Amino acid sequence: MDKSIKTLLRYEWTSFVRNKFQLFMLAVIMLFGVYAIYSGQSEINAQRKTIQAVTQIEQEEFSQYQASFDEELRSLEEEELHDIASRPSFAWFRHGYHAIIPPHDYAALAIGQRDLFRYYYRLTGMSLHYQLFENELANPVNLMVGNFDLSFVLVYLFPLLIIAFCYGLYSSEKENGTLALLQIQAVSIRRIILVRLVFYFAIITSLAMLISWLGLITSGPPFKTENLVPAMAWTAGVLAYFSFWFALMFLIASLRKSSSFNAITAIACWLLFLIVIPAILNVVVTTKYPLSSTALAGLTRRTGLEDENDEAEVREVIMEYLAHKPQLAGSDSLINDNMMAKGYAAFTSLKDINSQKLVDQYNEQVANRTSWTSRYHWLSPAVNMQEVLAQIAETDLHTFLRFQDALADFHGDITDFYFSRLFWNRPILLEDYHNRPVFQMTETSNRWSSVGLGLGKILLAAALTFFLGFYLFMIDV
Amino acid sequence: MQQLLIIIKKEIIIALREKLVLVLGGIMVLLLGIALYAGFLSYQQQQTIITQKQAEKREEWLHQGDKHPHIAAHYGTFVFKPKTVLSLFDFGLDAFTGTSIYLEAHHQHEFMFRPAQDHSSMIRFGELSATLVLKVLIPLLIIFLSFNAYTRERESGTLKLLISQGISFGTLSWGKILAYCTILTIILSPFLIGLLLFSWVGNPSQAMPDETLRLVLLTLAYGVYLFLFISFSVWVSLRSSTGRNALLILLSSWIFLTILMPKTVVNLSKSLYTLPSMREFKEAIEQGKVYGLDGKTPRSERIASLEKRLLEEYKVDSVHQLPFNFEGVKMQDGEEYTHKVYDHHFGKIKETFHRQNRLSSFASLINPFLSVQNLSMAFSGTDMYTFLHFEEQVETYRREMIRKMNNDMAENSKYGEFFEYAAGRDLWEELEDFSYQPPTVGELLQQYRLELASLFIWTALFLLLINYTNRKMKPLHG
């Protein structure tokens, strides 16, 4: 490091520690950061508790069923329970399985859409669409205002801090009358500004890193394999996003206007990236791809067969279903046994099959929306950053859409398990309980590539902004 | 008076010289235009679909064919949450409240489908609506316009000259404030006309009867809010030594009032008053239905005591001899008990909602942004109170539907019969179509007293503050 830079840094440090207001601002944002971590963690912990509770309910339910096998059945209730446990004609719609998407350790830092979507479902063999659309209880006001999590502090508040520190990057010298003194030095003014920029970058980014790592460490061990890459990506994201804002402040300073002008312009940019652009994109996408859930609502109606006593009708329904599922078909005499239960099972499954197209259309429109908006993410590094953080913490829309797909598969496993026994008139045995369907969700491969792409866009914006500022500083006014 | 007019005129001319402010003003007008148009478009799109679907569901109900009333009560019907015409102005909670509900016997379903679920996480940045521009962006424009109101005079030395002319600080301040008010009125007037036109076009069937009153109140609330921001900015400028300081203070206040505080208050309220999960909520209702609210009167016991009571009342010794179908009465009795259980548990949820939102009402006493936010949603019919009010009417309608079905079963079918009895279209028609009556403005004002008080108090405070400071200011400061 050459000597002039050392001197410059020393003076920056002196003026930094003397400015009580700046120190105060750093302390305030530190407090907000800690509060955000706490608030995010308490939200996610509440979700963890709910998950624990529902898992326990499921375990109790099934251990009751299993216990009913080896007990001497005495009371009527015990016999009823054993029927539910062993007879597929009861079991297929009584046995409840929970499909859960447990929060990633870092979901507490970027809650994303996790408060809006359901993260657990209880599924039985009944029509999937009966069970899919119920919401979690939530105060709509809270949903509207959104979460005070660490991603909010990083995406919204830190840029404001950067603006507050850097709006006088050049203009303060001019306004204090020290500019002329600097200009007669051997060091170029651009260099002085750059050193100052780097100095503030170091200070503010270190603070952000401190808060981020505080959050990362308290939310989950960062050196665990599944946390390491997210923790690194988080760090890289913060660096990229802050680079952009510092580059922007450098560009604004390069215009060599007054402090007030700089502050107004910087705030206007903040407003543009954090409020105006996303708000416009949201309202455009809502009107461009209109969606009405009213069509899906109809699927939740619990209709039954027209006349349950009409054997011909019941048989017809079963045959129609078996045409879709030939592997369940057996001889005619198999159908006659327990026909009502089969008829009802066939009926609700047919409903799913017939309404699948409607659901697919709806999901396709949602996909249209997200692919349209993601095309415009580059317009706002803030939107980009928010999305990247949500992706890192697995709280983005895409994760929940994958969850929906996994739910459908899981529901298929459940119906296969029970229907193969129901339609073949086989009881559920105690050992079958070891082969019960288990919910699984596969990891996607493209998660990190889209995180990388998002980061790339932010970095590119930062680089372009910086070089534009560098160029403007070169031109002598 | 003459002086005041001259000052107003001069301030307007000065403001118009600021290119940056002009550009920002232009952008605001443009944004308001886009917001209004998009709001109208989405209102129309949604309202068309909802009206059409609601009619469709009504037809389905009427043409469900002859069947047993209890099967009909299970077949049920749907209600879709209508868009209010003023949602084109303020979306409010619309993206986050459920939009459709299935009405059925035995089960109180909850509203499904929150529109925000069909968006990427970007939706959490908010949608562009006229309110967003008015309550967040325009205050910023005001700050840019007026942070220099006094500091410029002070920095260029004209303040001394002005005071030496015998102009009081009071006249000067009012001149500046009124000048900015005039500029804003001019900027906002096309928007106001547009809003009137759109809401007039969008409300042909008078679904919102007191729409005009609501519009007047909206205009008033926002008028007061923006006036507060103007006087605050001018006051800060008066008290600041340099423009840079004034700007810093104003920008920090803006961030605190419109971004930080609303979010913090809501988050705090969430951790102070926690909600149960849906699973726990439903489980509690199930338990209540099976074992009784007190946990000690199971369903069988309730039925037995109903049977005993009816047998005694009609002086017969078996339910077969009752002059009506006991099954129907039993069903209705069970239903009413379910209502009691549901009201008990949902009442607790509503209480939690109320407590959570109450915190922001109290906070609005400190922060007029919160008052105008809550009032604006209320007058637009997109607030929490209106949503719960709607939910309540839907539930009443559901109960009415079930009651009609059960009563018909009790009166017209025999004990022990089920598939033998079928009701028809006459009965289906007895249930009127659902139509929603939003709460009156009077009711809303009752609910939002704190917010109203906040606006009054702040206005009074600022009027006093400006006059008091003006008297205390010594011209030597310039």
Side-chain angles (χ1 to χ4, degrees):
Chain A
M1 202 188 286
D2 81 45
K3 208 175 149 210
S4 61
I5 293 183
K6 263 189 194 157
T7 323
L8 282 170
L9 284 177
R10 204 176 63 236
Y11 277 102
E12 284 305 332
W13 177 255
T14 317
S15 63
F16 167 70
V17 288
R18 280 189 194 158
N19 192 333
K20 292 285 175 301
F21 186 63
Q22 283 188 345
L23 292 174
F24 173 72
M25 278 196 290
L26 290 178
V28 167
I29 206 147
M30 181 80 199
L31 276 178
F32 274 123
V34 171
Y35 173 69
I37 294 170
Y38 160 77
S39 143
Q41 284 177 350
S42 62
E43 169 96 19
I44 293 300
N45 282 340
Q47 293 198 354
R48 287 211 176 96
K49 248 171 68 187
T50 306
I51 289 174
Q52 221 172 14
V54 297
T55 319
Q56 181 150 15
I57 291 175
E58 185 182 321
Q59 273 165 0
E60 275 166 17
E61 186 183 335
F62 279 96
S63 60
Q64 262 185 356
Y65 296 151
Q66 277 167 290
S68 79
F69 278 89
D70 42 42
E71 264 166 38
E72 187 84 1
L73 300 177
R74 269 154 298 183
S75 67
L76 195 64
E77 275 91 36
E78 277 169 352
E79 239 167 275
E80 259 176 22
L81 187 70
H82 184 64
D83 278 349
I84 295 172
S86 61
R87 292 173 58 176
S89 51
F90 294 115
W92 75 273
F93 66 94
R94 302 287 287 261
H95 290 193
Y97 290 81
H98 283 97
I100 294 164
I101 174 166
H104 187 275
D105 277 350
Y106 298 152
L109 306 180
I111 290 169
Q113 298 284 77
R114 224 186 136 90
D115 56 341
L116 191 59
F117 281 94
R118 288 203 57 181
Y119 49 93
Y120 66 94
Y121 283 87
R122 181 177 188 268
L123 295 180
T124 67
M126 293 266 275
S127 163
L128 174 66
H129 300 143
Y130 288 174
Q131 309 173 56
L132 213 52
F133 302 127
E134 192 182 64
N135 273 320
E136 184 55 45
L137 281 176
N139 185 343
V141 178
N142 298 353
L143 292 179
M144 179 189 75
V145 176
N147 285 297
F148 200 112
D149 54 9
L150 190 58
S151 76
F152 169 73
V153 174
L154 290 172
V155 174
Y156 277 78
L157 302 187
F158 263 98
L160 291 170
L161 191 72
I162 296 172
I163 292 172
F165 270 68
C166 298
Y167 74 97
L169 217 48
Y170 173 87
S171 53
S172 62
E173 302 289 350
K174 200 156 100 183
E175 281 149 25
N176 294 338
T178 42
L179 184 65
L181 291 176
L182 287 178
Q183 269 165 340
I184 55 169
Q185 306 294 322
V187 192
S188 78
I189 193 83
R190 191 180 66 208
R191 186 151 201 191
I192 298 174
I193 301 295
L194 271 176
V195 168
R196 180 171 292 165
L197 195 73
V198 170
F199 178 77
Y200 285 136
F201 182 81
I203 299 248
I204 293 178
T205 313
S206 326
L207 181 70
M209 283 302 154
L210 182 72
I211 299 175
S212 286
W213 277 83
L214 188 72
L216 290 170
I217 290 168
T218 52
S219 304
F223 295 105
K224 232 166 59 178
T225 32
E226 70 264 32
N227 287 348
L228 188 63
V229 181
M232 290 302 142
W234 185 283
T235 312
V238 173
L239 282 175
Y241 185 60
F242 283 20
S243 307
F244 169 77
W245 279 100
F246 276 98
L248 186 69
M249 292 317 292
F250 183 61
L251 175 63
I252 291 174
S254 75
L255 301 174
R256 285 175 260 207
K257 294 281 174 82
S258 71
S259 291
S260 300
F261 175 90
N262 291 352
I264 293 180
T265 316
I267 286 288
C269 287
W270 184 89
L271 207 62
L272 192 71
F273 292 136
L274 281 128
I275 295 180
V276 178
I277 289 178
I280 291 179
L281 285 178
N282 276 331
V283 81
V284 170
V285 81
T286 314
T287 45
K288 192 175 156 74
Y289 298 101
L291 247 180
S292 178
S293 48
T294 48
L296 291 189
L299 302 183
T300 58
R301 172 177 266 156
R302 262 159 274 262
T303 46
L305 295 154
E306 280 292 312
D307 186 351
E308 294 175 350
N309 289 349
D310 184 354
E311 254 188 42
E313 195 203 324
V314 178
R315 181 177 295 272
E316 203 179 303
V317 170
I318 296 175
M319 293 318 281
E320 196 188 335
Y321 175 62
L322 290 180
H324 286 280
K325 289 263 177 189
Q327 68 271 29
L328 294 178
S331 68
D332 241 22
S333 57
L334 272 177
I335 294 179
N336 285 335
D337 217 32
N338 243 336
M339 188 147 95
M340 245 336 287
K342 287 180 187 134
Y344 193 43
F347 183 81
T348 92
S349 305
L350 273 176
K351 240 188 106 176
D352 270 0
I353 294 170
N354 295 332
S355 49
Q356 195 52 49
K357 210 175 131 199
L358 205 63
V359 179
D360 287 343
Q361 277 171 355
Y362 190 81
N363 289 340
E364 197 182 301
Q365 188 76 330
V366 174
N368 284 340
R369 277 183 170 186
T370 44
S371 73
W372 187 86
T373 39
S374 64
R375 249 185 288 157
Y376 292 94
H377 275 174
W378 59 269
L379 278 175
S380 160
V383 171
N384 225 329
M385 178 69 179
Q386 180 73 52
E387 189 64 24
V388 164
L389 294 181
Q391 280 170 351
I392 291 174
E394 295 182 4
T395 55
D396 57 328
L397 174 70
H398 187 69
T399 305
F400 284 94
L401 293 179
R402 277 200 303 127
F403 183 48
Q404 303 274 330
D405 290 341
L407 276 176
D409 291 341
F410 185 45
H411 183 259
D413 292 346
I414 296 173
T415 48
D416 283 349
F417 181 82
Y418 288 97
F419 287 9
S420 64
R421 287 166 177 81
L422 175 69
F423 282 86
W424 284 90
N425 292 344
R426 286 191 328 226
I428 301 171
L429 306 171
L430 185 58
E431 51 267 34
D432 287 339
Y433 277 84
H434 302 298
N435 311 318
R436 286 193 301 131
V438 180
F439 177 70
Q440 274 169 340
M441 201 167 132
T442 47
E443 177 75 20
T444 52
S445 50
N446 57 14
R447 175 164 151 230
W448 293 113
S449 65
S450 64
V451 167
L453 191 69
L455 287 181
K457 282 186 212 164
I458 301 173
L459 274 177
L460 187 68
L464 286 177
T465 319
F466 179 77
F467 285 117
L468 186 60
F470 200 76
Y471 171 73
L472 286 178
F473 254 120
M474 266 182 357
I475 310 170
D476 250 355
V477 183
Chain B
M1 197 58 206
Q2 183 73 28
Q3 280 176 344
L4 192 68
L5 284 178
I6 292 172
I7 296 168
I8 294 175
K9 205 173 136 202
K10 175 243 160 195
E11 286 298 328
I12 292 176
I13 291 171
I14 297 274
L16 292 184
R17 278 191 199 148
E18 288 281 340
K19 290 285 174 318
L20 193 61
V21 171
L22 272 185
V23 171
L24 285 175
I27 293 174
M28 301 288 169
V29 176
L30 193 70
L31 284 178
L32 279 172
I34 299 173
L36 208 53
Y37 179 66
F40 181 67
L41 218 59
S42 102
Y43 161 71
Q44 265 202 327
Q45 282 171 351
Q46 292 299 321
Q47 195 50 26
T48 320
I49 298 174
I50 288 167
T51 325
Q52 185 196 334
K53 278 282 166 184
Q54 196 70 69
E56 227 172 72
K57 293 295 165 197
R58 177 67 182 166
E59 285 303 298
E60 274 179 26
W61 169 258
L62 291 177
H63 293 106
Q64 58 178 316
D66 294 350
K67 57 176 75 155
H68 190 276
H70 188 65
I71 297 185
H74 270 292
Y75 183 74
T77 190
F78 290 85
V79 167
F80 302 111
K81 185 168 166 277
K83 275 268 199 187
T84 63
V85 61
L86 288 178
S87 72
L88 70 92
F89 173 75
D90 189 342
F91 298 136
L93 302 175
D94 273 2
F96 298 96
T97 50
T99 46
S100 28
I101 189 168
Y102 174 35
L103 309 182
E104 182 192 18
H106 309 320
H107 302 285
Q108 277 87 353
H109 294 285
E110 302 302 318
F111 274 83
M112 306 173 283
F113 304 112
R114 301 189 167 123
Q117 289 169 328
D118 304 327
H119 284 269
S120 69
S121 57
M122 190 170 75
I123 191 70
R124 310 311 279 277
F125 283 92
E127 279 181 283
L128 178 70
S129 65
T131 38
L132 181 78
V133 182
L134 286 177
K135 72 188 183 202
V136 181
L137 307 190
I138 298 277
L140 201 62
L141 180 72
I142 291 175
I143 292 176
F144 293 161
L145 199 64
S146 53
F147 75 94
N148 245 337
Y150 268 103
T151 48
R152 187 177 20 224
E153 309 263 14
R154 189 165 287 157
E155 280 163 12
S156 61
T158 45
L159 190 60
K160 269 185 190 155
L161 290 177
L162 279 169
I163 300 302
S164 65
Q165 302 272 313
I167 296 174
S168 71
F169 272 104
T171 323
L172 210 50
S173 294
W174 280 114
K176 287 173 194 290
I177 291 172
L178 290 177
Y180 301 134
C181 289
T182 318
I183 294 173
L184 274 189
T185 318
I186 292 166
I187 291 179
L188 295 180
S189 55
F191 163 73
L192 211 59
I193 295 167
L195 177 64
L196 280 175
L197 272 177
F198 274 123
S199 50
W200 179 63
V201 171
N203 191 20
S205 57
Q206 292 294 308
M208 205 179 222
D210 43 10
E211 193 196 345
T212 322
L213 182 56
R214 282 166 183 260
L215 276 172
V216 170
L217 286 170
L218 275 175
T219 317
L220 271 177
Y222 277 100
V224 169
Y225 172 68
L226 295 178
F227 168 77
L228 284 177
F229 245 100
I230 292 176
S231 14
F232 176 59
S233 307
V234 170
W235 180 73
V236 169
S237 185
L238 173 68
R239 304 289 301 177
S240 301
S241 50
T242 63
R244 194 176 140 168
N245 282 351
L247 189 62
L248 257 185
I249 294 171
L250 286 170
L251 286 180
S252 322
S253 316
W254 173 77
I255 288 157
F256 179 74
L257 294 175
T258 65
I259 311 280
L260 262 179
M261 189 168 158
K263 206 157 180 134
T264 320
V265 167
V266 160
N267 250 272
L268 217 60
S269 78
K270 200 162 61 172
S271 33
L272 281 179
Y273 310 106
T274 49
L275 279 172
S277 71
M278 187 62 119
R279 184 90 175 96
E280 289 169 271
F281 172 61
K282 292 266 149 162
E283 187 71 26
I285 291 176
E286 272 318 303
Q287 296 289 323
K289 280 194 217 172
V290 177
Y291 302 110
L293 259 181
D294 52 2
K296 278 174 262 165
T297 38
R299 188 181 285 150
S300 51
E301 213 168 279
R302 296 197 301 268
I303 293 171
S305 79
L306 172 77
E307 194 180 316
K308 196 168 147 236
R309 189 165 56 84
L310 286 176
L311 291 182
E312 272 169 16
E313 197 175 312
Y314 284 87
K315 301 192 172 58
V316 289
D317 34 54
S318 102
V319 288
H320 295 271
Q321 294 162 334
L322 286 169
F324 44 79
N325 185 349
F326 177 66
E327 291 285 347
V329 177
K330 188 178 91 183
M331 199 91 87
Q332 182 57 25
D333 190 69
E335 206 63 53
E336 271 158 23
Y337 195 79
T338 312
H339 298 162
K340 226 161 74 182
V341 174
Y342 180 79
D343 287 344
H344 172 76
H345 289 289
F346 192 61
K348 283 203 265 185
I349 303 269
K350 276 205 285 199
E351 182 60 30
T352 311
F353 284 162
H354 178 71
R355 283 198 180 142
Q356 289 182 338
N357 298 341
R358 189 91 187 144
L359 201 65
S360 114
S361 290
F362 275 119
S364 78
L365 288 174
I366 307 171
N367 184 354
F369 172 84
L370 289 170
S371 336
V372 82
Q373 169 173 282
N374 293 350
L375 286 174
S376 165
M377 290 197 289
F379 296 143
S380 305
T382 52
D383 63 323
M384 194 63 182
Y385 179 74
T386 309
F387 179 67
L388 289 175
H389 181 265
F390 171 69
E391 218 171 27
E392 233 162 71
Q393 283 200 13
V394 171
E395 179 61 15
T396 314
Y397 180 75
R398 190 187 74 90
R399 291 177 185 184
E400 181 66 14
M401 170 180 93
I402 297 161
R403 201 180 52 80
K404 283 215 156 85
M405 295 303 118
N406 285 339
N407 284 356
D408 179 82
M409 174 181 164
E411 279 166 27
N412 300 324
S413 69
K414 288 199 187 69
Y415 186 77
E417 277 184 352
F418 193 76
F419 285 105
E420 291 83 347
Y421 175 67
R425 171 134 189 191
D426 288 345
L427 177 61
W428 316 148
E429 268 174 5
E430 261 182 49
L431 180 74
E432 279 172 35
D433 199 3
F434 177 76
S435 81
Y436 176 57
Q437 289 304 315
T440 59
V441 170
E443 260 177 278
L444 288 172
L445 292 177
Q446 276 276 315
Q447 286 299 316
Y448 291 93
R449 271 172 305 190
L450 280 173
E451 280 83 350
L452 287 169
S454 155
L455 287 186
F456 278 117
I457 293 170
W458 279 103
T459 314
L461 206 68
F462 266 106
L463 291 179
L464 275 175
L465 197 62
I466 288 171
N467 288 328
Y468 179 69
T469 320
N470 285 338
R471 234 179 296 138
K472 267 193 72 174
M473 285 302 277
K474 293 203 179 70
L476 290 176
H477 276 288

